[in-house]
């Protein structure tokens, strides 16, 4: 499991077999936390104050978030799914233990209850200490934060419970592997209410095309979601500068590629830094070599 050895001579290098032959590097000014948890290796470090990145969290040597660009991914996962839903009241987040997606979900005043289930308590604890501006939603009265395996949680959850489910996981190697599988998505579909929407950490078109194509295929053709669309997210800290999300609708009449309730009519829109209705629509316009993902 990659860990402490990725920091040497004052630099963190994101070397990993998932993206062989390349490694993003960040200059480290101070290591704030560096230890194995029950499930993965967690590191939090401060970067060179002359650069823009601020504090960074890695799990098993993979960058999870940086102060500089965390808003990109968190805003896109939360607002693209919630703004495409007519009235999101019950929201479930699987993973997301840093709290960033929850912070964004709770901006919506339609949301009555937001549950988060992350397998690793240490991620939540360290996020509260080093990223209070990201984990701030944990203390909201509408928030319930649980420690547990997301795959086991959805197996036990009642059918027709959630309006939106957001799967904010680490990569498939490690404790999240089941969360990329067909059996997990069967349960996600079952526990969504009619009209429900789910979206995930959908990996990168540059690095994970086979995985994305395979997931799109089984989510639609085997699990039975009515539609699956891939939305692109441009984010500098993730490998190849991009990540995406597979947005899945339970019913055929929903269209996630356009906001049903434009954020511009919501009071918090001015506080966002990435998500707008135009960015929502643009996310589903794909370059030619992956256009087929949204056909
Ligand atoms: N945005 C990040 C990215 O793109 O890699 C993901 C951030 S979030 C920190 C990922 C979370 O997924 C971690 O806190 C990890 O503990 C959690 N996770 C991994 N496997 C899980 C599982 N089986 N059930 C619940 N949470 C899981």
């Amino acid at each position: 499991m990659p860990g402490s050895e990725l920091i040497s001579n004052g630099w963190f290098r994101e070397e990993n077999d998932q993206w062989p032959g390349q490694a993003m590097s960040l200059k480290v000014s101070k290591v704030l936390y560096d230890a194995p948890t029950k499930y993965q290796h967690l590191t939090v470090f401060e970067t060179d104050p002359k650069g823009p990145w601020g504090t960074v969290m890695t799990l098993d040597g993979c960058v999870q978030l940086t102060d500089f660009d965390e808003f990109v991914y968190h805003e896109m996962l939360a607002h693209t799914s919630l703004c495409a839903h007519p009235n999101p009241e019950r929201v479930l987040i699987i993973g997301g233990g840093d709290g960033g997606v929850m912070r964004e979900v709770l901006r919506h005043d339609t949301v009555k209850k937001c549950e988060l289930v992350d397998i690793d308590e240490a991620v939540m604890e360290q996020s509260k200490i080093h990223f209070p501006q990201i984990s701030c939603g944990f203390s909201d009265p509408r928030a319930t934060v649980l420690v547990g395996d997301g795959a086991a949680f959805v197996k036990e959850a009642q059918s027709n419970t959630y309006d939106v489910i957001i799967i904010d996981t680490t990569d498939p190697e490690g404790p999240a592997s089941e969360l990329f599988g067909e059996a997990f998505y069967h349960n996600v579909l079952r526990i969504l209410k009619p009209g429900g929407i789910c979206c995930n950490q959908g990996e990168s078109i540059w690095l994970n095309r086979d995985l994305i194509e395979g997931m799109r295929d089984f989510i639609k053709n085997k699990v039975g979601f009515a539609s699956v669309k891939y939305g692109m997210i441009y984010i500098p800290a993730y490998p190849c500068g991009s990540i995406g999300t597979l947005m899945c609708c339970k019913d055929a009449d929903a269209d996630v590629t356009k906001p049903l309730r434009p954020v511009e009519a919501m009071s918090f829109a001015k506080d966002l830094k990435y998500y707008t209705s135009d960015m929502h629509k643009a996310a589903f316009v794909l370059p030619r070599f992956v256009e087929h993902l949204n056909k």
Side-chain angles (χ1 to χ4, degrees):
M1 215 183 268
S4 316
E5 76 284 1
L6 295 178
I7 298 179
S8 73
N9 297 325
W11 285 82
F12 162 77
R13 279 160 59 88
E14 196 183 32
E15 279 181 55
N16 197 291
D17 290 344
Q18 295 179 91
W19 38 88
Q22 66 182 66
M24 152 90 150
S25 299
L26 291 166
K27 195 169 185 187
V28 178
S29 67
K30 189 175 180 191
V31 177
L32 302 171
Y33 186 89
D34 186 41
T37 71
K38 214 166 144 190
Y39 298 97
Q40 47 211 343
H41 192 99
L42 171 59
T43 306
V44 180
F45 60 86
E46 274 171 19
T47 55
D48 184 343
K50 292 203 280 298
W53 300 94
T55 308
V56 175
M57 176 193 282
T58 71
L59 283 171
D60 289 345
C62 302
V63 172
Q64 301 298 299
L65 58 91
T66 83
D67 279 339
F68 183 45
D69 63 358
E70 57 83 11
F71 63 90
V72 174
Y73 172 85
H74 296 143
E75 287 185 17
M76 281 300 280
L77 254 66
H79 305 308
T80 311
S81 54
L82 270 75
C83 289
H85 191 283
N87 184 30
E89 291 183 341
R90 284 281 304 262
V91 179
L92 173 66
I93 301 167
I94 300 290
D98 50 76
V101 169
M102 181 175 250
R103 177 193 65 197
E104 296 303 320
V105 165
L106 291 169
R107 289 187 195 271
H108 289 254
D109 55 16
T110 56
V111 173
K112 296 193 168 137
K113 189 167 181 184
C114 179
E115 285 152 88
L116 180 149
V117 183
D118 195 293
I119 202 164
D120 200 333
E121 196 168 10
V123 174
M124 305 177 211
E125 288 314 311
Q126 291 305 312
S127 189
K128 282 193 242 171
I129 296 168
H130 300 294
F131 301 94
Q133 75 288 9
I134 294 176
S135 54
C136 50
F138 290 166
S139 55
D140 188 295
R142 296 170 292 160
T144 304
V145 179
L146 304 165
V147 179
D149 174 20
F153 182 90
V154 299
K155 230 178 264 171
E156 297 301 317
Q158 276 201 339
S159 302
N160 297 327
T161 303
Y162 298 100
D163 297 303
V164 174
I165 299 176
I166 301 175
I167 304 149
D168 176 13
T169 65
T170 42
D171 298 319
E173 289 188 10
S177 60
E178 255 195 273
L179 307 181
F180 288 79
E182 200 180 311
F184 173 72
Y185 277 89
H186 274 288
N187 280 310
V188 170
L189 180 67
R190 181 183 59 75
I191 68 175
L192 276 173
K193 286 186 195 160
I197 291 173
C198 98
C199 70
N200 70 357
Q201 189 274 83
E203 299 290 1
S204 160
I205 55 164
W206 300 105
L207 295 165
N208 312 99
R209 229 173 94 184
D210 291 351
L211 174 90
I212 297 166
E213 285 171 355
M215 286 189 75
R216 173 183 172 268
D217 180 54
F218 78 65
I219 291 172
K220 205 166 170 189
N221 301 323
K222 297 200 175 133
V223 177
F225 274 89
S227 74
V228 184
K229 303 281 182 192
Y230 182 86
M232 284 270 282
I233 303 171
Y234 300 91
I235 176 161
Y238 290 152
C240 295
S242 90
I243 199 162
T245 178
L246 283 168
M247 289 266 166
C248 318
C249 300
K250 188 163 183 167
D251 297 332
D253 49 2
D255 177 10
V256 287
T257 65
K258 294 181 191 80
L260 192 61
R261 296 176 309 114
V263 75
E264 288 72 18
M266 300 175 196
S267 61
F268 62 81
K270 61 183 182 329
D271 302 323
L272 303 183
K273 291 187 269 185
Y274 190 91
Y275 179 84
T276 62
S277 291
D278 283 343
M279 288 303 288
H280 182 137
K281 288 178 266 179
F284 295 97
V285 180
L286 301 180
R288 179 168 284 184
F289 75 99
V290 284
E291 257 181 348
H292 59 279
L293 288 173
N294 284 349
K295 296 279 184 217

